[in-house]
PDB file of all heavy atoms in Angstrom:
ATOM      1  N   ASP A   1       1.687  19.092  26.925  1.00  0.00           N
ATOM      2  CA  ASP A   1       1.425  19.945  25.769  1.00  0.00           C
ATOM      3  C   ASP A   1       1.803  19.275  24.448  1.00  0.00           C
ATOM      4  O   ASP A   1       1.893  19.947  23.427  1.00  0.00           O
ATOM      5  CB  ASP A   1       2.163  21.290  25.877  1.00  0.00           C
ATOM      6  CG  ASP A   1       1.598  22.181  26.962  1.00  0.00           C
ATOM      7  OD1 ASP A   1       0.414  21.985  27.305  1.00  0.00           O
ATOM      8  OD2 ASP A   1       2.334  23.034  27.475  1.00  0.00           O
ATOM      9  N   ALA A   2       2.053  17.983  24.467  1.00  0.00           N
ATOM     10  CA  ALA A   2       2.310  17.253  23.230  1.00  0.00           C
ATOM     11  C   ALA A   2       1.498  15.973  23.212  1.00  0.00           C
ATOM     12  O   ALA A   2       0.670  15.773  22.328  1.00  0.00           O
ATOM     13  CB  ALA A   2       3.802  16.957  23.066  1.00  0.00           C
ATOM     14  N   GLY A   3       1.717  15.109  24.186  1.00  0.00           N
ATOM     15  CA  GLY A   3       1.004  13.837  24.202  1.00  0.00           C
ATOM     16  C   GLY A   3      -0.495  13.998  24.308  1.00  0.00           C
ATOM     17  O   GLY A   3      -1.253  13.372  23.548  1.00  0.00           O
ATOM     18  N   GLU A   4      -0.936  14.839  25.239  1.00  0.00           N
ATOM     19  CA  GLU A   4      -2.378  15.003  25.408  1.00  0.00           C
ATOM     20  C   GLU A   4      -3.007  15.698  24.208  1.00  0.00           C
ATOM     21  O   GLU A   4      -4.146  15.404  23.835  1.00  0.00           O
ATOM     22  CB  GLU A   4      -2.677  15.775  26.689  1.00  0.00           C
ATOM     23  CG  GLU A   4      -2.102  17.181  26.725  1.00  0.00           C
ATOM     24  CD  GLU A   4      -2.466  17.894  28.016  1.00  0.00           C
ATOM     25  OE1 GLU A   4      -3.307  17.395  28.760  1.00  0.00           O
ATOM     26  OE2 GLU A   4      -1.885  18.972  28.259  1.00  0.00           O
ATOM     27  N   VAL A   5      -2.258  16.591  23.577  1.00  0.00           N
ATOM     28  CA  VAL A   5      -2.767  17.272  22.386  1.00  0.00           C
ATOM     29  C   VAL A   5      -2.815  16.304  21.202  1.00  0.00           C
ATOM     30  O   VAL A   5      -3.753  16.309  20.408  1.00  0.00           O
ATOM     31  CB  VAL A   5      -1.903  18.502  22.059  1.00  0.00           C
ATOM     32  CG1 VAL A   5      -2.412  19.196  20.795  1.00  0.00           C
ATOM     33  CG2 VAL A   5      -1.903  19.483  23.230  1.00  0.00           C
ATOM     34  N   ALA A   6      -1.800  15.444  21.105  1.00  0.00           N
ATOM     35  CA  ALA A   6      -1.746  14.489  20.006  1.00  0.00           C
ATOM     36  C   ALA A   6      -2.898  13.493  20.071  1.00  0.00           C
ATOM     37  O   ALA A   6      -3.563  13.220  19.060  1.00  0.00           O
ATOM     38  CB  ALA A   6      -0.405  13.751  20.028  1.00  0.00           C
ATOM     39  N   SER A   7      -3.151  12.938  21.256  1.00  0.00           N
ATOM     40  CA  SER A   7      -4.239  11.966  21.374  1.00  0.00           C
ATOM     41  C   SER A   7      -5.591  12.624  21.121  1.00  0.00           C
ATOM     42  O   SER A   7      -6.464  12.042  20.467  1.00  0.00           O
ATOM     43  CB  SER A   7      -4.216  11.296  22.755  1.00  0.00           C
ATOM     44  OG  SER A   7      -4.358  12.249  23.797  1.00  0.00           O
ATOM     45  N   ALA A   8      -5.762  13.868  21.599  1.00  0.00           N
ATOM     46  CA  ALA A   8      -7.014  14.585  21.353  1.00  0.00           C
ATOM     47  C   ALA A   8      -7.193  14.880  19.868  1.00  0.00           C
ATOM     48  O   ALA A   8      -8.298  14.769  19.324  1.00  0.00           O
ATOM     49  CB  ALA A   8      -7.041  15.880  22.165  1.00  0.00           C
ATOM     50  N   ALA A   9      -6.095  15.233  19.190  1.00  0.00           N
ATOM     51  CA  ALA A   9      -6.173  15.526  17.757  1.00  0.00           C
ATOM     52  C   ALA A   9      -6.558  14.278  16.970  1.00  0.00           C
ATOM     53  O   ALA A   9      -7.360  14.347  16.020  1.00  0.00           O
ATOM     54  CB  ALA A   9      -4.835  16.073  17.260  1.00  0.00           C
ATOM     55  N   ALA A  10      -6.004  13.132  17.357  1.00  0.00           N
ATOM     56  CA  ALA A  10      -6.324  11.891  16.657  1.00  0.00           C
ATOM     57  C   ALA A  10      -7.789  11.526  16.844  1.00  0.00           C
ATOM     58  O   ALA A  10      -8.480  11.142  15.883  1.00  0.00           O
ATOM     59  CB  ALA A  10      -5.417  10.765  17.142  1.00  0.00           C
ATOM     60  N   ILE A  11      -8.279  11.632  18.062  1.00  0.00           N
ATOM     61  CA  ILE A  11      -9.678  11.309  18.329  1.00  0.00           C
ATOM     62  C   ILE A  11     -10.597  12.274  17.601  1.00  0.00           C
ATOM     63  O   ILE A  11     -11.617  11.874  17.025  1.00  0.00           O
ATOM     64  CB  ILE A  11      -9.952  11.312  19.840  1.00  0.00           C
ATOM     65  CG1 ILE A  11      -9.257  10.123  20.504  1.00  0.00           C
ATOM     66  CG2 ILE A  11     -11.442  11.295  20.128  1.00  0.00           C
ATOM     67  CD1 ILE A  11      -9.715   8.760  20.023  1.00  0.00           C
ATOM     68  N   ASP A  12     -10.250  13.554  17.585  1.00  0.00           N
ATOM     69  CA  ASP A  12     -11.071  14.527  16.864  1.00  0.00           C
ATOM     70  C   ASP A  12     -11.113  14.212  15.368  1.00  0.00           C
ATOM     71  O   ASP A  12     -12.148  14.388  14.715  1.00  0.00           O
ATOM     72  CB  ASP A  12     -10.534  15.941  17.088  1.00  0.00           C
ATOM     73  CG  ASP A  12     -10.849  16.479  18.477  1.00  0.00           C
ATOM     74  OD1 ASP A  12     -11.730  15.902  19.148  1.00  0.00           O
ATOM     75  OD2 ASP A  12     -10.212  17.466  18.885  1.00  0.00           O
ATOM     76  N   ALA A  13      -9.988  13.751  14.818  1.00  0.00           N
ATOM     77  CA  ALA A  13      -9.948  13.414  13.397  1.00  0.00           C
ATOM     78  C   ALA A  13     -10.813  12.199  13.086  1.00  0.00           C
ATOM     79  O   ALA A  13     -11.410  12.108  12.001  1.00  0.00           O
ATOM     80  CB  ALA A  13      -8.504  13.159  12.966  1.00  0.00           C
ATOM     81  N   LEU A  14     -10.894  11.254  14.024  1.00  0.00           N
ATOM     82  CA  LEU A  14     -11.676  10.039  13.825  1.00  0.00           C
ATOM     83  C   LEU A  14     -13.165  10.242  14.104  1.00  0.00           C
ATOM     84  O   LEU A  14     -13.998   9.449  13.657  1.00  0.00           O
ATOM     85  CB  LEU A  14     -11.151   8.923  14.724  1.00  0.00           C
ATOM     86  CG  LEU A  14      -9.755   8.395  14.389  1.00  0.00           C
ATOM     87  CD1 LEU A  14      -9.214   7.569  15.545  1.00  0.00           C
ATOM     88  CD2 LEU A  14      -9.779   7.577  13.106  1.00  0.00           C
ATOM     89  N   ARG A  15     -13.506  11.308  14.808  1.00  0.00           N
ATOM     90  CA  ARG A  15     -14.874  11.509  15.259  1.00  0.00           C
ATOM     91  C   ARG A  15     -15.915  11.513  14.127  1.00  0.00           C
ATOM     92  O   ARG A  15     -17.015  10.979  14.308  1.00  0.00           O
ATOM     93  CB  ARG A  15     -14.961  12.821  16.059  1.00  0.00           C
ATOM     94  CG  ARG A  15     -16.181  12.923  16.952  1.00  0.00           C
ATOM     95  CD  ARG A  15     -16.125  14.208  17.776  1.00  0.00           C
ATOM     96  NE  ARG A  15     -14.913  14.311  18.568  1.00  0.00           N
ATOM     97  CZ  ARG A  15     -14.713  13.693  19.715  1.00  0.00           C
ATOM     98  NH1 ARG A  15     -15.644  12.902  20.210  1.00  0.00           N
ATOM     99  NH2 ARG A  15     -13.582  13.860  20.381  1.00  0.00           N
ATOM    100  N   PRO A  16     -15.633  12.066  12.948  1.00  0.00           N
ATOM    101  CA  PRO A  16     -16.645  12.047  11.880  1.00  0.00           C
ATOM    102  C   PRO A  16     -17.069  10.642  11.450  1.00  0.00           C
ATOM    103  O   PRO A  16     -18.136  10.490  10.843  1.00  0.00           O
ATOM    104  CB  PRO A  16     -15.952  12.797  10.730  1.00  0.00           C
ATOM    105  CG  PRO A  16     -14.995  13.724  11.410  1.00  0.00           C
ATOM    106  CD  PRO A  16     -14.485  12.941  12.587  1.00  0.00           C
ATOM    107  N   LEU A  17     -16.267   9.624  11.748  1.00  0.00           N
ATOM    108  CA  LEU A  17     -16.664   8.261  11.402  1.00  0.00           C
ATOM    109  C   LEU A  17     -17.957   7.864  12.108  1.00  0.00           C
ATOM    110  O   LEU A  17     -18.700   7.010  11.618  1.00  0.00           O
ATOM    111  CB  LEU A  17     -15.553   7.273  11.782  1.00  0.00           C
ATOM    112  CG  LEU A  17     -14.228   7.398  11.027  1.00  0.00           C
ATOM    113  CD1 LEU A  17     -13.197   6.454  11.626  1.00  0.00           C
ATOM    114  CD2 LEU A  17     -14.407   7.126   9.541  1.00  0.00           C
ATOM    115  N   GLY A  18     -18.224   8.456  13.263  1.00  0.00           N
ATOM    116  CA  GLY A  18     -19.430   8.128  14.009  1.00  0.00           C
ATOM    117  C   GLY A  18     -20.708   8.529  13.305  1.00  0.00           C
ATOM    118  O   GLY A  18     -21.779   8.034  13.646  1.00  0.00           O
ATOM    119  N   ALA A  19     -20.604   9.420  12.314  1.00  0.00           N
ATOM    120  CA  ALA A  19     -21.795   9.834  11.569  1.00  0.00           C
ATOM    121  C   ALA A  19     -22.181   8.818  10.501  1.00  0.00           C
ATOM    122  O   ALA A  19     -23.257   8.916   9.916  1.00  0.00           O
ATOM    123  CB  ALA A  19     -21.551  11.196  10.921  1.00  0.00           C
ATOM    124  N   LEU A  20     -21.306   7.832  10.263  1.00  0.00           N
ATOM    125  CA  LEU A  20     -21.585   6.805   9.270  1.00  0.00           C
ATOM    126  C   LEU A  20     -22.219   5.604   9.953  1.00  0.00           C
ATOM    127  O   LEU A  20     -21.804   5.201  11.036  1.00  0.00           O
ATOM    128  CB  LEU A  20     -20.300   6.371   8.566  1.00  0.00           C
ATOM    129  CG  LEU A  20     -19.494   7.464   7.871  1.00  0.00           C
ATOM    130  CD1 LEU A  20     -18.222   6.862   7.269  1.00  0.00           C
ATOM    131  CD2 LEU A  20     -20.319   8.139   6.788  1.00  0.00           C
ATOM    132  N   GLY A  21     -23.212   5.019   9.305  1.00  0.00           N
ATOM    133  CA  GLY A  21     -23.825   3.825   9.879  1.00  0.00           C
ATOM    134  C   GLY A  21     -22.869   2.667   9.918  1.00  0.00           C
ATOM    135  O   GLY A  21     -22.799   1.923  10.898  1.00  0.00           O
ATOM    136  N   THR A  22     -22.116   2.461   8.857  1.00  0.00           N
ATOM    137  CA  THR A  22     -21.050   1.477   8.820  1.00  0.00           C
ATOM    138  C   THR A  22     -19.818   2.140   8.233  1.00  0.00           C
ATOM    139  O   THR A  22     -19.907   3.116   7.492  1.00  0.00           O
ATOM    140  CB  THR A  22     -21.424   0.246   7.972  1.00  0.00           C
ATOM    141  OG1 THR A  22     -21.756   0.667   6.650  1.00  0.00           O
ATOM    142  CG2 THR A  22     -22.593  -0.499   8.593  1.00  0.00           C
ATOM    143  N   VAL A  23     -18.660   1.594   8.561  1.00  0.00           N
ATOM    144  CA  VAL A  23     -17.389   2.216   8.203  1.00  0.00           C
ATOM    145  C   VAL A  23     -16.499   1.188   7.524  1.00  0.00           C
ATOM    146  O   VAL A  23     -16.430   0.035   7.966  1.00  0.00           O
ATOM    147  CB  VAL A  23     -16.682   2.768   9.461  1.00  0.00           C
ATOM    148  CG1 VAL A  23     -15.385   3.476   9.079  1.00  0.00           C
ATOM    149  CG2 VAL A  23     -17.604   3.712  10.221  1.00  0.00           C
ATOM    150  N   GLY A  24     -15.814   1.590   6.460  1.00  0.00           N
ATOM    151  CA  GLY A  24     -14.881   0.710   5.774  1.00  0.00           C
ATOM    152  C   GLY A  24     -13.445   1.143   5.985  1.00  0.00           C
ATOM    153  O   GLY A  24     -13.175   2.241   6.493  1.00  0.00           O
ATOM    154  N   PRO A  25     -12.486   0.310   5.587  1.00  0.00           N
ATOM    155  CA  PRO A  25     -11.068   0.654   5.768  1.00  0.00           C
ATOM    156  C   PRO A  25     -10.673   1.975   5.132  1.00  0.00           C
ATOM    157  O   PRO A  25      -9.870   2.719   5.703  1.00  0.00           O
ATOM    158  CB  PRO A  25     -10.344  -0.530   5.113  1.00  0.00           C
ATOM    159  CG  PRO A  25     -11.304  -1.662   5.207  1.00  0.00           C
ATOM    160  CD  PRO A  25     -12.660  -1.051   5.044  1.00  0.00           C
ATOM    161  N   GLU A  26     -11.220   2.274   3.951  1.00  0.00           N
ATOM    162  CA  GLU A  26     -10.827   3.528   3.301  1.00  0.00           C
ATOM    163  C   GLU A  26     -11.324   4.741   4.086  1.00  0.00           C
ATOM    164  O   GLU A  26     -10.659   5.790   4.102  1.00  0.00           O
ATOM    165  CB  GLU A  26     -11.335   3.561   1.861  1.00  0.00           C
ATOM    166  CG  GLU A  26     -10.640   2.550   0.960  1.00  0.00           C
ATOM    167  CD  GLU A  26      -9.116   2.631   1.097  1.00  0.00           C
ATOM    168  OE1 GLU A  26      -8.575   3.751   0.986  1.00  0.00           O
ATOM    169  OE2 GLU A  26      -8.475   1.582   1.297  1.00  0.00           O
ATOM    170  N   ASP A  27     -12.502   4.615   4.712  1.00  0.00           N
ATOM    171  CA  ASP A  27     -12.979   5.692   5.577  1.00  0.00           C
ATOM    172  C   ASP A  27     -11.992   5.933   6.715  1.00  0.00           C
ATOM    173  O   ASP A  27     -11.664   7.072   7.057  1.00  0.00           O
ATOM    174  CB  ASP A  27     -14.347   5.340   6.165  1.00  0.00           C
ATOM    175  CG  ASP A  27     -15.409   5.129   5.104  1.00  0.00           C
ATOM    176  OD1 ASP A  27     -15.498   5.967   4.192  1.00  0.00           O
ATOM    177  OD2 ASP A  27     -16.138   4.130   5.191  1.00  0.00           O
ATOM    178  N   VAL A  28     -11.528   4.833   7.321  1.00  0.00           N
ATOM    179  CA  VAL A  28     -10.595   4.948   8.441  1.00  0.00           C
ATOM    180  C   VAL A  28      -9.258   5.515   7.965  1.00  0.00           C
ATOM    181  O   VAL A  28      -8.667   6.388   8.619  1.00  0.00           O
ATOM    182  CB  VAL A  28     -10.398   3.585   9.120  1.00  0.00           C
ATOM    183  CG1 VAL A  28      -9.391   3.704  10.264  1.00  0.00           C
ATOM    184  CG2 VAL A  28     -11.731   3.050   9.653  1.00  0.00           C
ATOM    185  N   ARG A  29      -8.759   5.011   6.836  1.00  0.00           N
ATOM    186  CA  ARG A  29      -7.488   5.527   6.307  1.00  0.00           C
ATOM    187  C   ARG A  29      -7.554   7.037   6.079  1.00  0.00           C
ATOM    188  O   ARG A  29      -6.605   7.776   6.377  1.00  0.00           O
ATOM    189  CB  ARG A  29      -7.140   4.826   4.994  1.00  0.00           C
ATOM    190  CG  ARG A  29      -6.688   3.388   5.144  1.00  0.00           C
ATOM    191  CD  ARG A  29      -6.286   2.831   3.785  1.00  0.00           C
ATOM    192  NE  ARG A  29      -6.025   1.416   3.843  1.00  0.00           N
ATOM    193  CZ  ARG A  29      -4.878   0.881   4.215  1.00  0.00           C
ATOM    194  NH1 ARG A  29      -3.872   1.678   4.563  1.00  0.00           N
ATOM    195  NH2 ARG A  29      -4.714  -0.427   4.228  1.00  0.00           N
ATOM    196  N   GLU A  30      -8.661   7.481   5.528  1.00  0.00           N
ATOM    197  CA  GLU A  30      -8.806   8.917   5.252  1.00  0.00           C
ATOM    198  C   GLU A  30      -8.724   9.733   6.534  1.00  0.00           C
ATOM    199  O   GLU A  30      -8.009  10.736   6.599  1.00  0.00           O
ATOM    200  CB  GLU A  30     -10.135   9.173   4.556  1.00  0.00           C
ATOM    201  CG  GLU A  30     -10.397  10.653   4.274  1.00  0.00           C
ATOM    202  CD  GLU A  30     -11.748  10.893   3.647  1.00  0.00           C
ATOM    203  OE1 GLU A  30     -12.453   9.909   3.318  1.00  0.00           O
ATOM    204  OE2 GLU A  30     -12.122  12.079   3.492  1.00  0.00           O
ATOM    205  N   ARG A  31      -9.422   9.287   7.570  1.00  0.00           N
ATOM    206  CA  ARG A  31      -9.415  10.037   8.822  1.00  0.00           C
ATOM    207  C   ARG A  31      -8.073   9.920   9.551  1.00  0.00           C
ATOM    208  O   ARG A  31      -7.644  10.872  10.210  1.00  0.00           O
ATOM    209  CB  ARG A  31     -10.553   9.567   9.719  1.00  0.00           C
ATOM    210  CG  ARG A  31     -11.953   9.734   9.155  1.00  0.00           C
ATOM    211  CD  ARG A  31     -12.190  11.087   8.509  1.00  0.00           C
ATOM    212  NE  ARG A  31     -11.919  12.193   9.421  1.00  0.00           N
ATOM    213  CZ  ARG A  31     -11.908  13.480   9.058  1.00  0.00           C
ATOM    214  NH1 ARG A  31     -12.129  13.813   7.800  1.00  0.00           N
ATOM    215  NH2 ARG A  31     -11.662  14.416   9.945  1.00  0.00           N
ATOM    216  N   LEU A  32      -7.405   8.776   9.421  1.00  0.00           N
ATOM    217  CA  LEU A  32      -6.068   8.652  10.008  1.00  0.00           C
ATOM    218  C   LEU A  32      -5.076   9.563   9.288  1.00  0.00           C
ATOM    219  O   LEU A  32      -4.124  10.067   9.903  1.00  0.00           O
ATOM    220  CB  LEU A  32      -5.592   7.206   9.956  1.00  0.00           C
ATOM    221  CG  LEU A  32      -6.250   6.245  10.948  1.00  0.00           C
ATOM    222  CD1 LEU A  32      -5.790   4.813  10.684  1.00  0.00           C
ATOM    223  CD2 LEU A  32      -5.925   6.638  12.402  1.00  0.00           C
ATOM    224  N   GLY A  33      -5.281   9.781   7.989  1.00  0.00           N
ATOM    225  CA  GLY A  33      -4.447  10.737   7.269  1.00  0.00           C
ATOM    226  C   GLY A  33      -4.614  12.149   7.809  1.00  0.00           C
ATOM    227  O   GLY A  33      -3.639  12.896   7.956  1.00  0.00           O
ATOM    228  N   VAL A  34      -5.859  12.507   8.128  1.00  0.00           N
ATOM    229  CA  VAL A  34      -6.110  13.804   8.765  1.00  0.00           C
ATOM    230  C   VAL A  34      -5.434  13.864  10.123  1.00  0.00           C
ATOM    231  O   VAL A  34      -4.800  14.870  10.484  1.00  0.00           O
ATOM    232  CB  VAL A  34      -7.624  14.045   8.898  1.00  0.00           C
ATOM    233  CG1 VAL A  34      -7.909  15.321   9.693  1.00  0.00           C
ATOM    234  CG2 VAL A  34      -8.291  14.112   7.525  1.00  0.00           C
ATOM    235  N   ALA A  35      -5.550  12.781  10.888  1.00  0.00           N
ATOM    236  CA  ALA A  35      -4.915  12.731  12.207  1.00  0.00           C
ATOM    237  C   ALA A  35      -3.400  12.893  12.093  1.00  0.00           C
ATOM    238  O   ALA A  35      -2.782  13.618  12.883  1.00  0.00           O
ATOM    239  CB  ALA A  35      -5.251  11.414  12.899  1.00  0.00           C
ATOM    240  N   GLN A  36      -2.794  12.216  11.110  1.00  0.00           N
ATOM    241  CA  GLN A  36      -1.349  12.319  10.911  1.00  0.00           C
ATOM    242  C   GLN A  36      -0.939  13.771  10.662  1.00  0.00           C
ATOM    243  O   GLN A  36       0.016  14.283  11.265  1.00  0.00           O
ATOM    244  CB  GLN A  36      -0.923  11.431   9.741  1.00  0.00           C
ATOM    245  CG  GLN A  36       0.518  11.593   9.287  1.00  0.00           C
ATOM    246  CD  GLN A  36       1.529  10.973  10.231  1.00  0.00           C
ATOM    247  OE1 GLN A  36       1.161  10.353  11.226  1.00  0.00           O
ATOM    248  NE2 GLN A  36       2.800  11.142   9.936  1.00  0.00           N
ATOM    249  N   ASP A  37      -1.651  14.439   9.777  1.00  0.00           N
ATOM    250  CA  ASP A  37      -1.321  15.839   9.476  1.00  0.00           C
ATOM    251  C   ASP A  37      -1.515  16.723  10.698  1.00  0.00           C
ATOM    252  O   ASP A  37      -0.680  17.598  10.980  1.00  0.00           O
ATOM    253  CB  ASP A  37      -2.201  16.339   8.333  1.00  0.00           C
ATOM    254  CG  ASP A  37      -1.884  15.669   7.004  1.00  0.00           C
ATOM    255  OD1 ASP A  37      -0.793  15.084   6.883  1.00  0.00           O
ATOM    256  OD2 ASP A  37      -2.741  15.727   6.101  1.00  0.00           O
ATOM    257  N   ASP A  38      -2.586  16.506  11.434  1.00  0.00           N
ATOM    258  CA  ASP A  38      -2.871  17.351  12.591  1.00  0.00           C
ATOM    259  C   ASP A  38      -1.837  17.148  13.700  1.00  0.00           C
ATOM    260  O   ASP A  38      -1.411  18.116  14.357  1.00  0.00           O
ATOM    261  CB  ASP A  38      -4.272  17.059  13.133  1.00  0.00           C
ATOM    262  CG  ASP A  38      -5.372  17.537  12.188  1.00  0.00           C
ATOM    263  OD1 ASP A  38      -5.054  18.286  11.239  1.00  0.00           O
ATOM    264  OD2 ASP A  38      -6.536  17.166  12.406  1.00  0.00           O
ATOM    265  N   VAL A  39      -1.424  15.921  13.917  1.00  0.00           N
ATOM    266  CA  VAL A  39      -0.430  15.662  14.971  1.00  0.00           C
ATOM    267  C   VAL A  39       0.936  16.197  14.553  1.00  0.00           C
ATOM    268  O   VAL A  39       1.667  16.764  15.376  1.00  0.00           O
ATOM    269  CB  VAL A  39      -0.366  14.164  15.292  1.00  0.00           C
ATOM    270  CG1 VAL A  39       0.776  13.867  16.274  1.00  0.00           C
ATOM    271  CG2 VAL A  39      -1.690  13.683  15.890  1.00  0.00           C
ATOM    272  N   ARG A  40       1.282  16.038  13.290  1.00  0.00           N
ATOM    273  CA  ARG A  40       2.574  16.561  12.816  1.00  0.00           C
ATOM    274  C   ARG A  40       2.645  18.079  12.935  1.00  0.00           C
ATOM    275  O   ARG A  40       3.727  18.654  13.037  1.00  0.00           O
ATOM    276  CB  ARG A  40       2.777  16.163  11.350  1.00  0.00           C
ATOM    277  CG  ARG A  40       3.006  14.681  11.126  1.00  0.00           C
ATOM    278  CD  ARG A  40       4.382  14.221  11.557  1.00  0.00           C
ATOM    279  NE  ARG A  40       5.426  14.789  10.731  1.00  0.00           N
ATOM    280  CZ  ARG A  40       6.728  14.697  11.010  1.00  0.00           C
ATOM    281  NH1 ARG A  40       7.122  14.086  12.111  1.00  0.00           N
ATOM    282  NH2 ARG A  40       7.631  15.228  10.222  1.00  0.00           N
ATOM    283  N   ALA A  41       1.495  18.735  12.931  1.00  0.00           N
ATOM    284  CA  ALA A  41       1.455  20.199  13.009  1.00  0.00           C
ATOM    285  C   ALA A  41       1.584  20.721  14.431  1.00  0.00           C
ATOM    286  O   ALA A  41       1.712  21.935  14.637  1.00  0.00           O
ATOM    287  CB  ALA A  41       0.165  20.716  12.381  1.00  0.00           C
ATOM    288  N   ILE A  42       1.567  19.838  15.421  1.00  0.00           N
ATOM    289  CA  ILE A  42       1.653  20.271  16.815  1.00  0.00           C
ATOM    290  C   ILE A  42       3.055  20.804  17.112  1.00  0.00           C
ATOM    291  O   ILE A  42       4.061  20.163  16.801  1.00  0.00           O
ATOM    292  CB  ILE A  42       1.315  19.104  17.769  1.00  0.00           C
ATOM    293  CG1 ILE A  42      -0.143  18.668  17.571  1.00  0.00           C
ATOM    294  CG2 ILE A  42       1.558  19.493  19.221  1.00  0.00           C
ATOM    295  CD1 ILE A  42      -0.494  17.388  18.300  1.00  0.00           C
ATOM    296  N   SER A  43       3.103  21.966  17.716  1.00  0.00           N
ATOM    297  CA  SER A  43       4.384  22.565  18.098  1.00  0.00           C
ATOM    298  C   SER A  43       4.904  21.914  19.372  1.00  0.00           C
ATOM    299  O   SER A  43       4.180  21.799  20.364  1.00  0.00           O
ATOM    300  CB  SER A  43       4.212  24.071  18.308  1.00  0.00           C
ATOM    301  OG  SER A  43       5.423  24.659  18.729  1.00  0.00           O
ATOM    302  N   THR A  44       6.157  21.445  19.340  1.00  0.00           N
ATOM    303  CA  THR A  44       6.752  20.782  20.497  1.00  0.00           C
ATOM    304  C   THR A  44       8.126  21.353  20.787  1.00  0.00           C
ATOM    305  O   THR A  44       8.689  22.112  19.996  1.00  0.00           O
ATOM    306  CB  THR A  44       6.888  19.268  20.244  1.00  0.00           C
ATOM    307  OG1 THR A  44       7.764  19.060  19.118  1.00  0.00           O
ATOM    308  CG2 THR A  44       5.536  18.636  19.954  1.00  0.00           C
ATOM    309  N   GLU A  45       8.682  20.956  21.920  1.00  0.00           N
ATOM    310  CA  GLU A  45      10.040  21.347  22.266  1.00  0.00           C
ATOM    311  C   GLU A  45      11.017  20.721  21.268  1.00  0.00           C
ATOM    312  O   GLU A  45      10.753  19.640  20.736  1.00  0.00           O
ATOM    313  CB  GLU A  45      10.383  20.877  23.677  1.00  0.00           C
ATOM    314  CG  GLU A  45       9.523  21.490  24.759  1.00  0.00           C
ATOM    315  CD  GLU A  45       9.869  20.930  26.124  1.00  0.00           C
ATOM    316  OE1 GLU A  45      10.821  20.141  26.210  1.00  0.00           O
ATOM    317  OE2 GLU A  45       9.176  21.283  27.096  1.00  0.00           O
ATOM    318  N   PRO A  46      12.144  21.384  21.005  1.00  0.00           N
ATOM    319  CA  PRO A  46      13.129  20.818  20.068  1.00  0.00           C
ATOM    320  C   PRO A  46      13.534  19.406  20.482  1.00  0.00           C
ATOM    321  O   PRO A  46      13.835  19.139  21.647  1.00  0.00           O
ATOM    322  CB  PRO A  46      14.310  21.785  20.184  1.00  0.00           C
ATOM    323  CG  PRO A  46      13.691  23.086  20.611  1.00  0.00           C
ATOM    324  CD  PRO A  46      12.555  22.702  21.517  1.00  0.00           C
ATOM    325  N   GLY A  47      13.496  18.508  19.504  1.00  0.00           N
ATOM    326  CA  GLY A  47      13.900  17.134  19.769  1.00  0.00           C
ATOM    327  C   GLY A  47      12.817  16.257  20.347  1.00  0.00           C
ATOM    328  O   GLY A  47      13.047  15.063  20.570  1.00  0.00           O
ATOM    329  N   ARG A  48      11.630  16.833  20.587  1.00  0.00           N
ATOM    330  CA  ARG A  48      10.533  16.036  21.143  1.00  0.00           C
ATOM    331  C   ARG A  48       9.301  16.182  20.254  1.00  0.00           C
ATOM    332  O   ARG A  48       8.614  17.191  20.288  1.00  0.00           O
ATOM    333  CB  ARG A  48      10.190  16.479  22.564  1.00  0.00           C
ATOM    334  CG  ARG A  48      11.303  16.271  23.570  1.00  0.00           C
ATOM    335  CD  ARG A  48      10.777  16.386  24.983  1.00  0.00           C
ATOM    336  NE  ARG A  48       9.895  15.266  25.314  1.00  0.00           N
ATOM    337  CZ  ARG A  48       9.323  15.106  26.502  1.00  0.00           C
ATOM    338  NH1 ARG A  48       9.516  15.997  27.460  1.00  0.00           N
ATOM    339  NH2 ARG A  48       8.546  14.065  26.730  1.00  0.00           N
TER     340      ARG A  48
END
């Protein structure tokens, strides 16, 4: 309920890059920023 959710959240955040014919670093940075926020929002057990 943490690791599998985190990896799925990251992949979901990166998925819109597939709609671009070519991708640059700033595109990736933007989507990784979304991934960071989404993973940080995951509820986990205290200390994990």
Side-chain angles (χ1 to χ4, degrees):
D1 290 336
E4 61 179 349
V5 179
S7 60
I11 290 299
D12 286 344
L14 292 165
R15 199 176 304 281
L17 295 174
L20 303 178
T22 57
V23 183
E26 292 311 309
D27 299 313
V28 178
R29 287 184 188 276
E30 178 183 354
R31 300 315 304 172
L32 286 174
V34 174
Q36 171 74 3
D37 292 342
D38 290 348
V39 174
R40 291 286 293 170
I42 296 171
S43 178
T44 62
E45 297 177 4
R48 296 195 69 178

